[in-house]
């Protein structure tokens, strides 16, 4: 549904799948600065909200998803993944338990499929699943990766780290109620990319497994009980390596365009396939393709940046082309990930 905040003077709609919210309100770089300093609110009301109640809710979700949730404390934010039987990522849920119910939000257009799966898995357990998107909207009051916002949550809202679930009828006035300026989704996305945080549907495809995107530890608990897809997670962690890895890209600032989602990533030489014949991705869209661009943005300090997924064996020191734009790599998921190699938390985001 279209956000009422799009009627704010200066608001410019974002692109799909965020077209029902504002990309910016006239000054994208100032909006980024404000969000980074905790002085802005981002309308993310196109995300869909689910509520799971019942006495068995945490144990049930623990059995179905990748995170350890059976001991989750009220008010503690968490992330979890729902995987298919082969360990590929199907859903990413950001959630909190308030002592009576689990509240979570997911990508636009994905809640119906997630709820349908959950309903099939209820059996005789005491759980109730509801889509409450018509009643609650997601707004964000902290930079991506921050655990809480500077503003105190108003009464009647649910806090999930730096996100707030606000009654939808209060969405139009929530920024002024909190004393914050509005920032568009462009600001959030630029800071998300800087923070090395993958987004479902952007840095994922039908083959994505959690190790590839650095979700081990943040959304996957390695010492919990069985769940669908766990065998793949355990096998890669203990015995192998993921086939691909998430990288952060510094893009050539002299180019006027940003590589779009899905743009091919190739080695930064004139004949990439000849430079490393083993690096090309099987079935790639163009010769020498070794990955794809997930998200790109113009950052207020770093300039043009992107997240991409590339073949694990691509050397970390080599320059790349992202949609034809020259790019240098910064490691997020190291090539030796898996086989009990932990990802250094310092690599998850740029050190300021």
């Amino acid at each position: 549904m279209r956000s009422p905040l799009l009627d704010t003077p200066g608001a410019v709609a974002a692109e799909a799948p965020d077209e029902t919210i504002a990309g910016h309100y006239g000054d994208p770089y100032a909006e980024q600065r404000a969000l980074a300093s905790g002085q802005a609110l981002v309308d993310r009301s196109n995300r869909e909200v689910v509520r799971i109640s019942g006495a068995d809710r945490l144990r049930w979700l623990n059995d179905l998803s990748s995170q350890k949730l059976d001991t989750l404390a009220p008010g503690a934010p968490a992330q979890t993944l729902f995987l298919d039987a082969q360990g590929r990522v199907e859903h990413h849920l950001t959630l909190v338990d308030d002592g009576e119910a689990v509240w979570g939000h997911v990508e636009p257009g994905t809640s119906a499929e997630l709820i349908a799966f959950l309903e099939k898995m209820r059996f005789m357990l005491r759980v109730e699943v509801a889509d409450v998107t018509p009643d609650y909207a997601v707004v964000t009051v902290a930079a991506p990766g921050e655990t809480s916002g500077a503003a105190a949550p108003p009464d009647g809202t649910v806090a999930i780290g730096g996100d707030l679930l606000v009654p939808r009828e209060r969405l139009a006035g929530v920024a002024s109620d909190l004393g914050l300026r509005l920032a568009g989704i462009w600001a959030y996305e630029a800071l998300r990319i800087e923070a090395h945080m993958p987004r479902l549907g952007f840095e994922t495809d039908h083959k994505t497994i959690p190790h590839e995107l650095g979700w081990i530890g943040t959304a996957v608990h390695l010492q919990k009980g069985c769940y669908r897809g766990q065998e793949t997670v355990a096998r890669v962690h203990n015995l192998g390596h993921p086939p691909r890895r998430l990288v952060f890209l510094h893009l050539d600032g002299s180019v006027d365009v940003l590589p779009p989602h899905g743009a091919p990533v190739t080695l930064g030489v004139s004949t990439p396939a000849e430079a490393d014949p083993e690096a090309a991705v099987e079935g790639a869209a163009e010769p020498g393709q070794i990955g794809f661009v997930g998200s790109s943005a113009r950052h207020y300090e770093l300039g043009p940046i992107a997240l991409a997924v590339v073949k694990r064996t691509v050397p970390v020191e080599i320059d790349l082309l992202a949609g034809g734009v020259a790019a240098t790599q910064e490691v997020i998921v190291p090539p030796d990930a898996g086989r009990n190699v932990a990802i250094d938390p310092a690599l998850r985001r740029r050190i300021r």
Side-chain angles (χ1 to χ4, degrees):
M1 59 189 74
R2 184 182 185 276
S3 171
L5 291 171
L6 272 176
D7 296 327
T8 303
V12 176
E15 303 81 23
D18 300 322
E19 68 274 15
T20 60
I21 59 176
H24 65 86
Y25 296 91
D27 195 342
Y29 289 148
E31 294 166 26
Q32 284 186 44
R33 292 188 187 94
L35 180 60
S37 62
Q39 301 302 310
L41 175 146
V42 181
D43 176 14
R44 300 172 72 207
S45 59
N46 60 327
R47 292 185 67 82
E48 296 176 343
V49 183
V50 297
R51 183 178 187 271
I52 304 165
S53 58
D56 296 326
R57 64 189 183 280
L58 288 175
R59 178 170 63 86
W60 180 61
L61 288 172
N62 185 76
D63 291 343
L64 294 177
S65 69
S66 62
Q67 187 59 272
K68 183 170 175 57
L69 299 174
D70 55 344
T71 57
L72 185 67
Q79 302 176 53
T80 195
L81 304 175
F82 292 87
L83 311 178
D84 70 10
Q86 286 73 45
R88 296 172 296 212
V89 177
E90 293 189 328
H91 296 281
H92 175 251
L93 179 68
T94 301
L95 62 94
V96 72
D97 187 84
D98 66 3
E100 297 182 356
V102 170
W103 300 77
H105 59 83
V106 295
E107 286 291 331
T110 65
S111 65
E113 183 180 349
L114 174 59
I115 290 173
F117 167 71
L118 293 175
E119 289 287 354
K120 288 193 301 184
M121 304 303 292
R122 284 179 58 190
F123 305 115
M124 300 298 291
L125 297 175
R126 297 167 293 173
V127 291
E128 296 290 337
V129 184
D131 182 350
V132 294
T133 307
D135 302 315
Y136 287 88
V138 180
V139 299
T140 295
V141 294
E146 299 295 333
T147 57
S148 62
D155 291 341
T157 67
V158 178
I160 309 179
D163 300 328
L164 300 178
L165 307 183
V166 302
R168 197 167 283 272
E169 68 269 15
R170 292 165 54 183
L171 176 59
V174 66
S176 59
D177 291 345
L178 294 172
L180 300 174
R181 71 170 292 169
L182 288 172
I185 193 67
W186 286 12
Y188 180 88
E189 288 292 282
L191 298 185
R192 176 183 69 82
I193 293 169
E194 180 201 13
H196 300 172
M197 291 173 56
R199 180 177 176 185
L200 188 80
F202 283 74
E203 283 69 53
T204 68
D205 59 17
H206 66 286
K207 300 184 295 183
T208 299
I209 61 174
H211 292 80
E212 295 177 330
L213 301 190
W215 266 327
I216 304 300
T218 58
V220 176
H221 194 285
L222 291 171
Q223 282 80 47
K224 57 164 285 183
C226 294
Y227 56 93
R228 187 171 71 163
Q230 186 202 26
E231 292 166 347
T232 297
V233 172
R235 185 167 61 250
V236 173
H237 179 69
N238 292 310
L239 301 174
H241 299 296
R244 302 177 297 182
R245 59 185 178 90
L246 183 69
V247 296
F248 177 85
L249 299 180
H250 293 274
L251 302 171
D252 181 357
S254 67
V255 179
D256 291 336
V257 297
L258 290 171
H261 167 68
V265 175
T266 59
L267 300 181
V269 293
S270 58
T271 55
E274 292 179 11
D276 185 359
E278 297 299 320
V281 172
E282 183 179 354
E286 69 174 47
Q289 182 174 348
I290 49 84
F292 66 90
V293 174
S295 310
S296 60
R298 298 189 186 278
H299 190 275
Y300 73 104
E301 287 184 334
L302 301 178
I305 56 176
L307 292 176
V309 178
V310 301
K311 188 171 180 179
R312 180 184 63 83
T313 54
V314 173
V316 298
E317 70 279 1
I318 198 167
D319 290 342
L320 303 175
L321 292 174
V325 179
T328 58
Q329 298 180 63
E330 188 173 308
V331 174
I332 301 175
V333 176
D336 57 354
R339 293 188 183 174
N340 287 305
V341 174
I343 297 176
D344 184 349
L347 295 176
R348 294 189 184 278
R349 61 183 299 153
R350 173 177 168 268
I351 299 175
R352 289 180 170 82

